[in-house]
């Protein structure tokens, strides 16, 4: 029975009882006795209801009414709490997780906790509020930590107008010259290998947020694994790092992550406050992204200090590696070795690095856009063998004519590096503009084009190549479901030329990268396939171009990518992507001109992304 009905029937019963008592009293007082002097006839005594009895009933009724009102208020308060919790659950299931975090924080307000016995415990730590903030629809709780799986499954394809025998990632510096037989053949590859699996683990210990992130995909063939750019090993490791964030704004990260040189979306942290990646990668299907995009994924130790939400600074030491291309040199230098069989890829080369790369960055978020300034310092070394070239007329180190020797070998090193900056901001309500550039010497590997860091002088010492790379971004958020992203980027590698007096059989010759005397006369002439076999099958070994050095001067790529979300909600998201890219590879001029290669690429992607 509802409280109002209870009150109504109680009042009705009290009214009836009171009316009957008053009626009996009035009847007894108005009746005239037949004989006043005679004693009253023996009759049953009538109950007497006094004013005190009536007042007692009224007090009881008032007390009951007060209790009913109090219970009603408590019921309404519980219903409000349930409504708030339902709203939080709905927000957590949606992609707008920051809003859910704000609602959770509202429930953690002491004013609410006073009225909720379940939330009044003074021992409820701040860790619980933190855990609620980090919680997602798939979050698992284990011994005080949150474990959130993620990633996506993708079915994608690429069609190139000129074959590269490549899966989804494009080897930009391998775009063929016009005479290559591959330039006459298109290629189509479908792939699910970019499908990604991720795990984010987080927890809180007093004043420290502890987190770890691991992600992997399947874009590695094992023998293609190197430490040059992406440190890829089957199952291909993309990221694997641990991080400690302190309440004073200081954080420390160790493991493999996006390089500090990679642009962030806000601040410098590799993840946001909800465990989502915080890099500003081109939103494309090609796993090589776009020419000019500055990045690596590699081992590093990083220390970051945040000053509120406006300024952050960071320093890091990261893996070093050298990419070297040089022509005409003798074997008078040693840079590294093939990978050891028990740890690295035996078909890839690894440079002997004297020290890690040192990076520093400062980021600004003034309220309008995101801005970064950063620098890279790296060192290269090799071992030089002055008697490593065959002499025609004299001896070296006491050796006979025509014999090489290790006598007099020594180590030589070279210091390089560069500086860069980026800016990203909204130029309209649904339009984002971004630009980033990096220039310096010996930094070619910090972009996806695969251009060299260094060449070799005639005497065997290292000569650093001047590198410049940049990327422009224009992203249109057309609707809540439809995005159009456009990018234009370039990567440049300078000439590196020196004279070797012992080159060309003692006559002397220019050596290095982009040498103007190199031959490019055969870059437009097709050759027959090689007669050797590849994996036991004839017909899978294209003929190499004769007299075609064609060292890359600049890579230029323009891309447009369209993404449409069919569904986005508590069950994840399902989206379709389409991309078109045009790339040109321009070479340094030599004897026979400066040939260039081009390629047109079309991608599509269907992705199911976990919530």
């Amino acid at each position: 029975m509802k409280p109002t009905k209870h009150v109504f029937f109680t009042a009705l019963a009290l009214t009836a009882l009171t009316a009957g008592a008053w009626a009996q009293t009035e009847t007894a007082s108005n009746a005239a006795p037949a004989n006043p002097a005679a004693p009253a006839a023996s009759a049953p005594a009538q109950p007497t209801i006094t004013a005190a009895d009536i007042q007692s009933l009224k007090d009881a009724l008032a007390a009951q009414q007060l209790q009913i009102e109090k219970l009603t208020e408590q019921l309404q308060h519980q219903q409000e709490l349930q409504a708030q919790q339902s709203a939080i659950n709905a927000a957590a299931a949606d992609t707008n997780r920051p809003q859910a975090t704000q609602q959770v924080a509202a429930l953690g307000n002491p004013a609410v906790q006073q009225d909720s016995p379940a939330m009044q415990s003074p021992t409820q730590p701040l860790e619980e509020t933190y855990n609620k903030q980090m919680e997602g629809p798939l979050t698992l709780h284990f011994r005080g930590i949150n474990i959130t799986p993620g990633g996506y499954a993708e079915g994608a394809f690429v069609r190139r107008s000129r074959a590269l025998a490549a899966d989804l990632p494009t080897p930009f510096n391998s775009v063929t010259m016009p005479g290559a037989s591959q330039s006459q053949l298109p290629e189509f590859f479908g792939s699910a290998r970019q499908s990604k699996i991720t795990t984010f683990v987080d927890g809180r210990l007093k004043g420290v947020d502890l987190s770890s992130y691991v992600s992997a995909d399947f874009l590695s063939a094992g023998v293609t694994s190197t430490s040059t750019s992406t440190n890829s090993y089957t199952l291909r490791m993309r990221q694997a790092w641990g991080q400690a964030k302190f309440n004073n704004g200081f954080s420390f990260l160790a493991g493999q992550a996006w390089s500090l040189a990679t642009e962030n979306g806000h601040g410098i942290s590799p993840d946001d406050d909800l465990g989502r990646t915080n890099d500003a990668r081109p939103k494309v299907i090609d796993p090589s992204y776009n020419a000019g995009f500055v990045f690596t994924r590699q081992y590093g130790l990083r220390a970051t200090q945040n000053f509120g939400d406006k300024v952050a600074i960071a320093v890091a030491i990261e893996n070093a590696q050298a990419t070297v291309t040089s022509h005409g040199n003798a074997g008078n230098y040693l840079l590294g070795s093939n990978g050891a069989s028990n740890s690295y890829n035996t078909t890839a080369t690894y440079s002997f690095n004297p020290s890690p790369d040192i990076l520093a960055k400062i980021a600004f978020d003034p309220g309008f856009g995101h801005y970064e300034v950063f620098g890279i310092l790296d060192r290269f070394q090799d071992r030089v063998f002055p008697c490593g070239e065959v002499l025609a007329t004299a001896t070296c180190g006491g050796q006979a004519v025509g014999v090489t020797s290790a006598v007099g070998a020594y180590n030589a090193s070279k210091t390089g590096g560069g500086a860069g900056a980026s800016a990203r901001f909204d130029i309209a309500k649904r339009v984002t503009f971004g630009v980033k550039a990096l220039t310096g010497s010996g930094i070619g590997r910090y972009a996806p084009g695969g251009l060299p860091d260094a060449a070799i002088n005639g005497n065997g010492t290292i000569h650093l190549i001047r590198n410049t790379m940049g990327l422009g971004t224009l992203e249109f958020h057309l609707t809540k479901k439809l995005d159009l992203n456009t990018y234009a980027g370039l990567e440049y590698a300078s000439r590196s030329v020196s004279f070797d007096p012992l080159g060309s059989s003692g006559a002397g010759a220019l050596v290095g990268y982009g040498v103007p005397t190199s031959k490019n006369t055969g870059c437009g002439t097709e050759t027959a396939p090689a007669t050797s076999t590849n994996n036991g099958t004839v017909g899978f070994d294209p003929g190499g171009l004769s007299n075609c050095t064609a060292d890359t001067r600049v890579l230029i790529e323009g891309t447009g990518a369209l993404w449409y979300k069919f569904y986005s909600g508590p069950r994840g998201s399902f989206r379709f992507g389409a991309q078109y890219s045009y790339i040109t590879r321009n070479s340094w001029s030599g004897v026979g001109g400066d040939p260039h290669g081009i390629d047109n690429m079309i991608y599509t992607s269907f992705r199911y992304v976990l919530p």
Side-chain angles (χ1 to χ4, degrees):
M1 183 179 293
K2 293 184 178 180
T4 52
K5 292 183 178 180
H6 191 155
V7 174
F8 173 76
F9 287 119
T10 303
L12 183 61
L14 182 60
T15 302
L17 181 60
T18 304
W22 278 106
Q24 291 177 2
T25 303
E26 186 172 352
T27 302
S29 61
N30 290 337
N35 185 1
S42 63
Q46 297 294 328
T48 301
I49 303 221
T50 64
D53 296 330
I54 296 174
Q55 185 60 42
S56 178
L57 290 172
K58 288 182 177 181
D59 292 342
L61 179 61
Q64 190 175 32
Q65 176 64 25
L66 182 61
Q67 184 179 9
I68 291 172
E69 291 176 354
K70 188 174 182 179
L71 291 173
T72 302
E73 291 176 0
Q74 292 179 355
L75 178 61
Q76 291 175 349
H77 180 68
Q78 290 177 357
Q79 290 174 343
E80 291 174 359
L81 289 179
Q82 291 176 355
Q84 289 178 347
Q85 185 63 45
S86 298
I88 292 170
N89 293 339
D94 193 50
T95 56
N96 189 10
R97 296 172 68 182
Q99 181 180 359
T101 301
Q102 294 172 2
Q103 290 173 328
V104 170
L107 278 182
N109 191 294
V112 177
Q113 293 180 1
Q114 291 175 0
D115 293 330
S116 177
M119 302 177 66
Q120 284 181 351
S121 172
T123 61
Q124 180 182 12
L126 182 60
E127 285 87 330
E128 292 189 17
T129 301
Y130 173 82
N131 291 338
K132 290 180 180 178
Q133 291 175 348
M134 304 301 293
E135 186 173 329
L138 300 180
T139 298
L140 307 175
H141 304 285
F142 178 74
R143 295 187 177 180
I145 62 174
N146 300 322
I147 305 174
T148 305
Y152 58 81
E154 180 188 62
F157 76 70
V158 58
R159 188 188 189 278
R160 299 184 177 96
S161 61
R162 292 164 174 79
L164 294 175
D167 200 284
L168 298 180
T170 301
F172 298 121
N173 201 30
S174 296
V175 171
T176 56
M177 290 293 115
S181 297
Q182 303 94 301
S183 291
Q184 318 306 319
L185 297 169
E187 69 179 5
F188 171 93
F189 287 106
S191 178
R193 295 170 63 192
Q194 191 172 197
S195 300
K196 185 168 66 174
I197 54 177
T198 69
T199 302
F200 181 74
V201 180
D202 66 274
R204 187 175 178 87
L205 179 64
K206 295 183 179 179
V208 185
D209 298 339
L210 303 175
S211 61
S212 176
Y213 182 78
V214 177
S215 68
D217 62 22
F218 304 89
L219 287 169
S220 175
V223 295
T224 63
S225 302
T226 71
S227 289
T228 299
S229 182
T230 58
N231 291 257
S232 309
Y233 301 94
T234 307
L235 170 73
R236 188 171 87 150
M237 181 176 68
R238 294 173 58 89
Q239 298 190 74
W241 50 258
Q243 181 176 230
K245 289 184 179 180
F246 297 83
N247 289 345
N248 60 5
F250 177 79
S251 63
F252 178 79
L253 179 144
Q256 179 163 305
W258 293 97
S259 168
L260 189 60
T262 309
E263 184 179 1
N264 294 110
H266 180 87
I268 294 180
S269 175
D271 65 314
D272 64 12
D273 291 335
L274 295 176
R276 297 170 298 195
T277 54
N278 186 36
D279 53 83
R281 284 171 285 169
K283 300 177 180 63
V284 296
I285 303 171
D286 189 344
S288 294
Y289 303 106
N290 200 95
F293 172 53
V294 178
F295 89 104
T296 59
R297 288 192 306 270
Q298 59 191 11
Y299 161 83
L301 298 175
R302 181 188 307 179
T304 305
Q305 179 65 55
N306 291 291
F307 300 93
D309 294 330
K310 302 297 184 181
V311 181
I313 60 174
V315 293
I317 59 172
E318 299 182 4
N319 244 9
Q321 193 65 207
T323 56
V324 180
T325 301
S326 197
H327 305 288
N329 301 87
N332 59 345
Y333 64 96
L334 177 67
L335 283 163
S337 174
N338 288 341
S341 59
N342 64 341
S343 60
Y344 281 137
N345 181 5
T346 58
T347 65
T349 57
Y350 296 82
S351 61
F352 298 145
N353 308 301
S355 61
D357 289 356
I358 301 174
L359 294 88
K361 180 194 284 189
I362 180 169
F364 304 92
D365 294 277
F368 177 74
H370 174 75
Y371 309 90
E372 297 180 357
V373 178
F374 65 100
I376 301 172
L377 181 67
D378 53 6
R379 294 186 69 236
F380 301 80
Q381 74 173 5
D382 70 342
R383 187 158 180 81
V384 180
F385 299 85
C387 300
E389 291 183 298
V390 175
L391 302 180
T393 59
T395 62
C396 180
Q399 299 299 314
V401 173
V403 178
T404 62
S405 171
V407 173
Y410 66 95
N411 295 344
S413 62
K414 197 79 171 180
T415 299
S422 65
R424 182 177 297 268
F425 50 86
D426 294 336
I427 60 176
K429 184 177 181 181
R430 294 181 177 271
V431 182
T432 300
F433 172 78
V435 62
K436 181 166 185 174
L438 171 64
T439 185
S441 297
I443 55 173
R445 75 181 186 93
Y446 279 89
L451 299 186
D453 299 317
I456 303 298
N457 293 319
N459 62 2
T461 60
I462 294 173
H463 187 281
L464 298 185
I465 291 175
R466 184 77 177 176
N467 301 112
T468 299
M469 57 204 72
L471 181 69
T473 297
L474 201 58
E475 298 174 345
F476 301 88
H477 312 289
L478 302 177
T479 67
K480 292 183 178 180
K481 293 187 175 183
L482 183 63
D483 287 345
L484 174 62
N485 308 312
T486 60
Y487 307 94
L490 64 84
E491 298 178 35
Y492 166 83
S494 68
R495 291 185 192 267
S496 172
V497 183
S498 68
F499 182 73
D500 183 357
L502 299 179
S504 297
S505 301
L510 296 177
V511 298
Y513 183 82
V515 176
T517 56
S518 61
K519 294 182 179 180
N520 290 335
T521 54
C523 293
T525 304
E526 187 173 4
T527 60
T531 57
S532 61
T533 62
N534 185 12
N535 294 328
T537 305
V538 176
F540 285 85
D541 196 354
L545 297 179
S546 301
N547 298 320
C548 183
T549 303
D551 285 334
T552 301
R553 177 173 60 89
V554 62
L555 297 169
I556 302 174
E557 183 181 19
T559 295
L562 192 73
W563 287 100
Y564 181 77
K565 294 181 181 179
F566 292 100
Y567 168 79
S568 181
R571 294 172 178 82
S573 66
F574 184 71
R575 60 191 66 177
F576 168 77
Q579 173 188 335
Y580 169 75
S581 294
Y582 176 86
I583 184 168
T584 176
R585 174 183 164 226
N586 301 322
S587 67
W588 280 109
S589 61
V591 178
D594 53 348
H596 67 278
I598 63 172
D599 214 332
N600 297 269
M601 299 175 288
I602 297 175
Y603 288 81
T604 66
S605 169
F606 288 93
R607 289 182 184 177
Y608 170 68
V609 184
L610 290 177

